[in-house]
């Protein structure tokens, strides 16, 4: 291990890359796929680092991590990007049509955020949120103001939010959560976004690839793959499905690569 | 020779068995959690109502008094049981938390910590007494305590959400599990350390078990029991950030908010408020232990 690293230093080209990711279904799937392509197709060791969003961004800026493929822009990760813009390189989207907003089960019989106030009691007066400080949480704070919502935003976390969603759906209760897509909850439950006529949650977002400074010159092969790396909604959906199906994320990524040989080859051109 | 072959094949079979027949431990747990939810749904709802009532009541009481009122009350209590230094520190500490605009969050955290500690003690101290008195209880309780203390708290956060939904109740529940073991251990230890001569003297004067317990064993064990109470409170405070992941709010969410928006200063402010509360409660319980 040590000797490989030392040789890497001597020749000036790096033999391994460090990837940062957040433990969300979509980020995990996309990061594992990228890592497997880099290892099997480019023959470069790729190490995955499971981090929280804030340390993940920070470590790209400091160069401890070489790149991330799960930067939500321009809205959700605006705060991180704003702070670190000059210390990272944005390679642009690897996914379009990501979306954040308020999400309810389909049996909840309203369609717009504006109707929430008419049903405060049915929702027990609360919106179930995720981590305090997450982009979707500050957007929801704005929504509370803009729509004059008589609701309390309860901070929890992704897992707690989906657990709460599950229980509410089992009991057929009304519940409204801060949600985003791509996320497996849309595959497991019948959910819908509430309309957002004031556009508080912004339009569609993109998921971008962000690298550390100088990554392009240090590792041109990986850089050129990352530049081409792009998943359609259907492809990412398939990949997330496979990640759930297989016990091992690497096996799932390999299986996806086999099934989508031409797509992978296209990225490597 | 054949014995060797037999042994070799036995061990390779056993090895095969160990690695291939995976025990579905995770599935058992899932089935067990589902079973609990289906069977005791009403009981969990009742517990949820009870705990939530207690937290809300405490929050209303502490929140009703203005922060300077709470500062004075705590300082007076501290003066009485822990001395002037602690009184001054408590006064300044509460004013400091109010000054950095975190008093409202501190009220929520205090209400949850107090609820969790009280429940942990109500269950823990009697259990400790039983464990000191009966060897069987002790040998059943000890491994359970080891389990409660070392199982990473994250593991029971999500079942807690299944049973009690998100909010202060699962947070209190998770805190109780994490904070109760030292209360039980130290109560049990304190009682077992009471000198045999004292017990024998009590028995010689014809005391029954009830009198022995309340007149001799508990008073003698009190300093150790208070150390358990103290540990219980400190562990409860150490759970605030983790508990904010299941909707507990309070100072824990201030810390997470700061950290997850790269605002180290804000996270630190939340953290220092927790430290101030910890020091006040620590000195208060230590002081009352000495009296």
């Amino acid at each position: 291990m040590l000797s490989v690293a030392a040789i890497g230093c001597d020749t000036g080209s790096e033999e391994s890359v460090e990837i940062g990711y957040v433990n969300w279904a979509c980020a995990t799937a996309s990061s594992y796929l990228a890592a497997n392509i880099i290892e099997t197709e480019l023959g470069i060791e790729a190490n995955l680092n499971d981090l929280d969003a804030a340390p993940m961004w920070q470590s790209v800026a400091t160069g401890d991590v070489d790149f991330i493929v799960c930067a939500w822009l321009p809205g959700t990760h605006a705060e991180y990007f704003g702070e670190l813009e000059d210390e990272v390189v944005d390679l642009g989207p690897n996914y379009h049509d990501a979306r954040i907003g308020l999400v309810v089960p389909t049996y909840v019989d309203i369609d717009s955020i504006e109707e929430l106030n008419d049903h405060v009691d049915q929702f027990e007066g609360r919106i179930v949120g995720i981590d305090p400080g997450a982009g979707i949480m500050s957007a929801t704070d704005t929504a509370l103001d803009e729509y004059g919502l008589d609701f309390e935003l309860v901070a929890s976390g992704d897992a707690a939010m989906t657990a709460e969603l599950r229980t509410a759906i089992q009991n057929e209760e009304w519940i409204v959560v801060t949600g985003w897509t791509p996320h497996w909850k849309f595959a497991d439950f019948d959910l819908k976004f509430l309309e957002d006529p004031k556009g508080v949650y912004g339009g569609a977002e993109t998921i971008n690839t962000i690298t550390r400074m100088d990554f392009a010159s240090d590792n041109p092969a990986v850089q050129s793959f990352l530049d081409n790396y792009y998943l359609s909604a259907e492809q990412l959906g398939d990949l997330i499905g496979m990640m759930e199906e297989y016990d091992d994320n690497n096996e799932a990524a390999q299986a996806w690569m086999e099934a989508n040989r031409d797509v992978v080859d296209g990225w490597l051109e | 020779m054949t014995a060797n072959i037999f042994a070799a094949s036995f061990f390779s079979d056993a090895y095969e068995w160990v690695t291939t027949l995976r025990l579905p431990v995770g599935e058992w747990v899932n089935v067990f959690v589902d079973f609990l939810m289906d069977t005791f749904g009403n009981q969990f709802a009742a517990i949820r109502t009870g705990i939530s009532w207690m937290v809300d009541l405490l929050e209303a009481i502490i929140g009703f008094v203005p922060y300077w009122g709470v500062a004075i009350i705590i300082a007076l209590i501290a003066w009485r049981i822990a001395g002037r230094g602690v009184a001054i520190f408590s006064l300044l500490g509460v004013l400091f938390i109010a000054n950095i605009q975190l008093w409202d969050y501190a009220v929520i955290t205090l209400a949850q910590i107090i609820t969790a500690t009280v429940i942990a003690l109500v269950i823990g101290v009697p259990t400790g007494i039983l464990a000191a008195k009966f060897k069987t209880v002790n040998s059943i309780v000890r491994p359970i305590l080891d389990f409660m203390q070392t199982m990473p708290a994250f593991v029971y956060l999500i079942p807690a959400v299944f049973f009690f939904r998100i909010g202060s109740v699962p947070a209190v529940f998770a805190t109780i599990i994490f904070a109760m073991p030292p209360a039980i251990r130290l109560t049990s230890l304190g009682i077992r350390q009471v000198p045999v001569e004292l017990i024998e003297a009590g028995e010689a004067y014809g005391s029954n078990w009830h009198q022995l317990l309340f007149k001799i064993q508990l008073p003698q064990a009190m300093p150790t029991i208070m150390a358990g109470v103290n540990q219980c409170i400190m562990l409860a405070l150490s759970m605030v950030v983790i508990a904010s992941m299941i909707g507990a709010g309070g100072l824990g969410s201030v810390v997470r908010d700061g950290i997850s928006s790269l605002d180290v200063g804000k996270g630190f402010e939340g953290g220092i408020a927790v430290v101030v509360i910890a020091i006040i409660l620590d000195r208060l319980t230590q002081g009352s232990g000495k009296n």
Side-chain angles (χ1 to χ4, degrees):
Chain A
M1 235 0 260
L2 207 63
S3 63
V4 172
I7 294 163
C9 284
D10 284 342
T11 57
S13 75
E14 297 191 16
E15 296 300 324
S16 73
V17 292
E18 298 294 326
I19 307 170
Y21 73 104
V22 202
N23 199 356
W24 299 330
C26 56
T28 308
S30 167
S31 306
Y32 266 85
L33 179 59
N36 273 277
I37 291 173
I38 292 169
E39 290 216 325
T40 49
E41 307 297 320
L42 301 176
I44 295 169
E45 193 184 319
N47 300 316
L48 287 154
N49 302 279
D50 175 4
L51 302 164
D52 258 8
M56 173 182 82
W57 272 90
Q58 193 67 55
S59 49
V60 187
T62 54
D64 292 324
V65 153
D66 290 310
F67 68 88
I68 58 177
V69 292
C70 51
W72 282 58
L73 295 170
T76 310
H77 285 173
E79 228 162 304
Y80 308 129
F81 189 61
E83 193 128 326
L84 305 170
E85 206 167 353
D86 301 333
E87 299 161 53
V88 297
V89 181
D90 180 8
L91 294 187
N94 58 55
Y95 185 87
H96 277 101
D97 293 327
R99 187 178 173 192
I100 63 171
L102 293 182
V103 168
V104 296
T106 40
Y107 59 75
V108 169
D109 158 34
I110 62 169
D111 293 312
S112 166
I113 298 178
E114 285 178 324
E115 295 169 66
L116 278 174
N117 266 345
D118 301 335
H119 304 274
V120 175
D121 289 342
Q122 274 164 291
F123 288 113
E124 291 181 15
R126 51 173 214 179
I127 296 170
V128 179
I130 55 164
D131 317 53
I136 196 173
M137 295 295 278
S138 41
T140 306
D141 276 332
T142 316
L144 290 176
D145 284 347
E146 290 270 320
Y147 291 95
L149 296 180
D150 206 3
F151 277 74
E152 185 197 356
L153 174 61
V154 184
S156 63
D158 182 19
M161 183 265 283
T162 34
E164 184 73 355
L165 191 61
R166 191 186 96 152
T167 315
I169 288 174
Q170 273 171 355
N171 303 339
E172 289 229 3
E173 293 167 3
W174 281 36
I175 183 170
V176 52
V177 304
T178 59
W180 64 93
T181 164
H183 188 282
W184 58 268
K185 61 181 176 286
F186 282 91
D188 279 26
F189 312 121
D190 286 327
L191 303 171
K192 62 181 178 190
F193 277 99
L194 290 178
E195 281 160 27
D196 173 23
K198 298 194 177 179
V200 171
Y201 289 97
E205 294 206 45
T206 58
I207 305 179
N208 288 24
T209 304
I210 304 279
T211 73
R212 65 174 170 81
M213 288 289 182
D214 303 330
F215 183 64
S217 52
D218 290 346
N219 217 323
V222 178
Q223 157 79 20
S224 109
F225 154 66
L226 287 178
D227 236 352
N228 295 332
Y229 187 50
Y230 180 86
L231 288 157
S232 69
E234 200 185 329
Q235 288 164 345
L236 184 57
D238 275 355
L239 181 62
I240 295 175
M242 281 182 163
M243 292 277 164
E244 275 186 64
E245 203 176 305
Y246 287 79
D247 277 341
D248 185 89
N249 287 341
N250 289 313
E251 275 175 38
Q254 292 290 343
W256 191 94
M257 285 161 65
E258 255 166 59
N260 297 274
R261 197 62 252 175
D262 46 331
V263 181
V264 176
D265 289 341
W267 291 332
L268 293 168
E269 268 169 14
Chain B
M1 191 61 197
T2 44
N4 271 346
I5 291 168
F6 174 77
S9 91
F10 174 81
F11 281 118
S12 78
D13 281 357
Y15 172 75
E16 285 278 314
W17 184 86
V18 166
T19 50
T20 52
L21 289 177
R22 185 188 189 285
L23 296 173
V25 179
E27 273 159 48
W28 292 337
V29 173
N30 287 339
V31 168
F32 181 63
V33 168
D34 285 341
F35 163 79
L36 288 180
M37 267 165 66
D38 292 343
T39 323
F40 298 108
N42 295 334
Q43 284 81 347
F44 287 132
I47 295 174
R48 182 185 169 205
T49 315
I51 293 182
S52 144
W53 177 82
M54 197 166 159
V55 174
D56 290 348
L57 181 73
L58 274 168
E59 213 181 300
I61 294 173
I62 308 174
F64 176 75
V65 186
Y67 69 86
W68 49 267
V70 177
I72 293 171
I73 293 168
I74 294 182
L76 287 175
I77 297 172
W79 195 306
R80 181 103 181 77
I81 64 181
R84 194 168 56 176
V86 179
I88 293 170
F89 179 86
S90 306
L91 185 72
L92 294 178
V94 174
L95 294 180
F96 171 71
I97 294 173
N99 174 261
I100 56 175
Q101 317 271 307
L102 292 180
W103 180 246
D104 292 344
Y105 297 96
V107 170
I108 297 171
T109 295
L110 273 175
Q112 288 172 4
I113 297 296
I114 295 171
T115 307
T117 313
V118 167
I119 296 175
L121 294 178
V122 165
I123 304 172
V125 171
T127 309
I129 293 172
L130 290 176
K133 203 165 160 56
F134 302 106
K135 271 216 166 84
T136 4
V137 177
N138 192 38
S139 53
I140 294 170
V141 164
R142 282 189 66 149
I144 298 178
L145 294 182
D146 293 337
F147 193 89
M148 285 162 76
Q149 272 186 303
T150 44
M151 177 62 81
F154 288 90
V155 174
Y156 43 80
L157 287 185
I158 296 304
V161 172
F162 288 160
F163 298 146
F164 302 115
R165 313 301 293 273
I166 60 166
S168 55
V169 179
V172 166
F173 172 79
T175 307
I176 291 170
I177 294 191
F178 188 67
M180 188 159 53
I184 300 177
R185 280 191 215 279
L186 286 164
T187 303
S188 162
L189 178 72
I191 290 176
R192 271 184 281 129
Q193 279 178 341
V194 174
V196 188
E197 295 81 22
L198 276 176
I199 310 279
E200 282 170 352
E203 279 168 345
Y205 284 106
S207 310
N208 55 27
W209 72 267
H210 184 254
Q211 288 166 323
L212 274 180
L213 178 66
F214 284 97
K215 297 266 160 64
I216 298 172
Q217 288 174 315
L218 279 183
Q220 283 286 321
M222 201 38 94
T224 317
I225 294 176
M226 283 312 292
V229 173
N230 179 282
Q231 284 300 301
C232 184
I233 295 174
M234 294 303 118
L235 287 179
L237 271 164
S238 71
M239 278 287 287
V240 294
V241 174
I242 292 176
S244 76
M245 292 178 181
I246 45 177
L251 292 171
S253 70
V254 176
V255 172
R256 276 181 72 218
D257 193 350
I259 299 309
S260 62
S261 50
L262 296 184
D263 185 345
V264 181
K266 185 175 186 185
F268 188 80
E269 284 183 348
I272 200 89
V274 174
V275 172
V276 169
I277 292 177
I279 294 177
I280 296 175
L281 292 178
D282 177 63
R283 300 299 184 272
L284 283 180
T285 46
Q286 277 188 3
S288 61
K290 282 182 198 127
N291 283 1

